Amino acid sequence: MTTSLLLALTLLAAPQAEMAPLDAATALVLVEDHRAPLVEVRLEVPVGRWSRWFREQGGEAAWEALLLDPDRALLRRADALAVDVATSVDSRACTLRATFLREDLPAATELLRGILAEHPLDRKELKRRARARALGWRLSMKDPSYLLERASAYLLFGEGDPRRLSYAPPWKDVPSDAGLRAVQERMLAMPGRALGVAGDLDRAAAESLAHALLPPADGARPQGADPSLPAAVPLAERKDVTETLSGLTQVYLADVRTSLPLQEADAPAFAIADHVLGGHFYARLSTALRHEGGETYGAWTRSTRETVETVYAASTFTRTDNAAVAEGKLSQVLRTFHEGGITEEERNAAVGYLRGRVPFTRQEPAQILERALFERRLGVPQGSLDALVERAGALSLEEVNAFIRRFYDPALFRRVEVGDRHQ
Amino acid sequence: MIAAALLLAAAPALLDTTLENGLRVTILPDPGMTVVATQVWYHVGSADEDPGSRGLAHLFEHLMFGPTQTREAREYSAFHTGHGGEENAFTDTDETVYVSEIAPPHHLGVLVREADRMRHLVLDQAALDNERKIVIEELRLRTENDPLGRLFTAAQVALLAGHPYGHEVAGTHEDLDAASLSAVRAFYARWYVPGNAQVVVVGPVDAEETLAAIRREFGSISGGGSLDRRQIPAIPAHRFPARVTLREDIPPVDVAMLGFPLPPPDAPDADAVEVLLEMLTARQVDPVREELVVRRKRGIEAGAQGMVFRRGGALVFYVASLPYRRQETAFRDLEDARLALDGGAWLSEEALQAAQRSLLRKGADRRYRAAQMADALGRDTWFRGDPAAALDREQRLSAVTLADVRAAWERWVLRREPVRLYVEPKHVPWYITAFGWLAPLFL
């Protein structure tokens, strides 16, 4: 019981993400944790690949160019200070992240100010990086798992849908210097931005850092900056897909449909159902396809936590001459799941799993910060992910199985295959 | 450094002991963590396999998730999943490690189950046949159907032929097909004994309570006899081929690599080598890339990478360029880069201090995660002979001087004859063959 008490106390004492407005356009998200002399800073601006404005303006190049001045002087300064700094772009946001030792706060602040200030840009380096990325993408196109995901996304989302972008050739066109700077300026001043600070810093120091870094916010959001997604391809127009990759000795299979958005009332039931079907080593899929017959090394479900529809897939792979067996089992598992639902024992185990994950989300301050920023990015209330666990725990077996009958209807799924068996 | 002092002052007390049956037990209680990591390190890996049994260590790792005399196969996993935990394992050249993460107090249940499968695993023909099929599917996934996987395996086999590291950990179809029930039973009896294992527990645990549980569960298991372990030569002592050329289905680029064998982690200058790797391979402005891609325009991408195993490691310089250049030219470019690096800014007092601060930052970050700490403790026990090396690592690396790093650079890189590996694409479009030589104009 000693350790049980210890855990309860630890979770109570675990740092929380505190979110407060810094000004009308900016949130400060602070996770104060003094266990280690480390600080992580994340500046997040609310525009990403799903924004038409962002794509048209060359937003990816502009955001990457924040770190790229001639001779990479900013990155050399970061190396000299042992500050780990990086930019990233996802579907809804762009992030500038820096991690450093607490005692380097003044120097790191100056470095970040230099990154965010207008500075000469290294266009050649941007192009070099784009060329290297293009090579990486070409290599991905020889990876059957990547091709399976790509074909699944292309089946569900039509041409021009930004949800295809993760699988498209990476950007290569670099706007003019003036254009890059103008886009950077608009992005950094965009309302809805957030500065996240995690680690060995108190509120006063975090606020001081935020004021030192952020340019004044611009009240207006550019037209077309919000994510703009067309409807998914209608069910009647979705066809099974087979892609050939010559030389493969395995066939990669997925049964796919659109996912359930996070804010839907059925999201807690989905969390339970998905865990039972494909979320662990002895889930239904893995039991049927791996443990009972050795058809495969892996069988699982896959989806992205989002507030819009993305891809939901039940996937596996097997040796080419065994493809028909694996196909049959994949279909059978889904059919049985849809018709029979789950058992009380499975429901209880899934709820135990979801509740048992809570300590895993509180291990380090940067992780707690990311969770808070993630909920903010999606526009769901803070604490939604934890609340979903409690809502799942309150569901009866009948409620979960009623959801399964609606969501897992085999008629809603399409089969995607990547292999070389039809050559 | 203030941060180093703070970090060391905050380091929790390590409990490290060996039970009478030879089982090493290492416990690091840390009340600030929210999850308990339990790892069981068996000191056996692919390097211990004999010809004809390639892949046996990895196959056996799979079999350890089978039934015991009192538990069904799925019980171990169900225990973890039902409490939100995670269970897994990995096999490498020198070790097979079973990893668990779970919220306390369930880690005590993990210990019960780890002891159970160390003593009472059931090995039968049906389980072996099924697991063999699964492992071969994994081999197909990771090696046969992945161009990079094929490439790494081919390079490993060609470069390390004759060395115990010179074959793929996952083994071969032929050897896996030939693995018999008697062979896996003999493997279990020989290697999966307390005298060849270490239990590492890290997290918000009571050290004495955890040690008592380990004594109770593992203490009565017979320790095992003499292992008669094969001596694995250090990597720098291996006689490498002068050059290896491989062809693979990769995008149309040639990749030239110079490899410099490095000493084992328990060598006298291992700390200096670790700092050297940080200075050369972990910078955000890679000195090799700067020299070859930016300054000389000799490739599309280039860089330096390090790797470490129990009996040594390697530092690799690589450059990727459009396939119009001769091998000799690509290797000469890399050689020139090596010479140009000597005396470069990356090897200065300022760069050393930056690298040491970077290592300190990474070390501090590792302290948050029970699994990472458990891995570091297990690794340093097996690789360096002392789990405490994981805790005073930052202090040791902070004591390395520029003269130490320079000596390591000269000894292991500057004055060494490197191993040469060249990779060519199987298919090159005609326009690259015809006009690739114009590429430097656009780099």
Side-chain angles (χ1 to χ4, degrees), chain A residues 362-377:
Chain A
R362 308 279 199 278
Q363 294 188 77
E364 58 179 313
Q367 184 190 28
I368 297 167
L369 174 64
E370 167 51 28
R371 198 170 165 90
L373 289 173
F374 174 73
E375 289 177 330
R376 188 175 181 279
R377 269 198 301 279

Side-chain angles (χ1 to χ4, degrees), chain A residues 218-271:
Chain A
D218 179 341
R221 210 169 145 72
Q223 201 172 16
D226 292 332
S228 168
L229 303 174
V233 172
L235 181 63
E237 295 173 23
R238 297 176 197 164
K239 308 286 181 208
D240 291 354
V241 175
T242 299
E243 293 232 349
T244 300
L245 189 59
S246 52
L248 286 186
T249 61
Q250 287 171 314
V251 169
Y252 293 71
L253 301 165
D255 280 355
V256 305
R257 58 153 294 165
T258 49
S259 68
L260 187 79
L262 192 60
Q263 77 281 15
E264 295 286 326
D266 279 332
F270 171 77

Side-chain angles (χ1 to χ4, degrees), chain A residues 265-340:
Chain A
D266 279 332
F270 171 77
I272 291 175
D274 179 58
H275 178 75
V276 175
L277 178 64
H280 62 101
F281 195 51
Y282 274 91
R284 295 279 187 95
L285 284 168
S286 191
T287 299
L289 281 144
R290 174 171 168 145
H291 304 299
E292 296 173 0
E295 321 304 346
T296 187
Y297 171 67
W300 64 94
T301 54
R302 178 176 64 81
S303 62
T304 309
R305 279 181 160 174
E306 248 301 341
T307 53
V308 297
E309 289 181 329
T310 59
V311 175
Y312 182 67
S315 305
T316 191
F317 55 87
T318 192
R319 52 204 172 275
T320 301
D321 62 8
N322 194 51
V325 175
E327 277 189 307
K329 284 194 174 182
L330 184 58
S331 299
Q332 181 62 40
V333 169
L334 263 182
R335 206 160 41 240
T336 306
F337 193 67
H338 172 243
E339 289 167 2

Side-chain angles (χ1 to χ4, degrees), chain A residues 60 130 132-138 146 165 167-173:
Chain A
E60 292 217 34
R133 248 194 311 269
L135 273 180
W137 178 79
R138 291 183 73 159
Y146 179 83
L165 285 172
Y167 306 99
W171 62 269
K172 57 181 179 184
D173 296 330

Side-chain angles (χ1 to χ4, degrees), chain B residues 160-182:
Chain B
L160 286 159
H163 189 281
Y165 287 173
H167 62 275
E168 161 66 17
V169 171
T172 63
H173 282 252
E174 298 72 27
D175 287 6
L176 288 167
D177 282 339
S180 66
L181 187 57
S182 60

Side-chain angles (χ1 to χ4, degrees), chain B residues 208-227:
Chain B
E208 292 304 327
E209 178 192 48
T210 304
L211 177 60
I214 292 171
R215 281 190 194 284
R216 187 172 62 242
E217 301 301 332
F218 291 85
S220 61
I221 304 175
S222 170
S226 168
L227 282 170

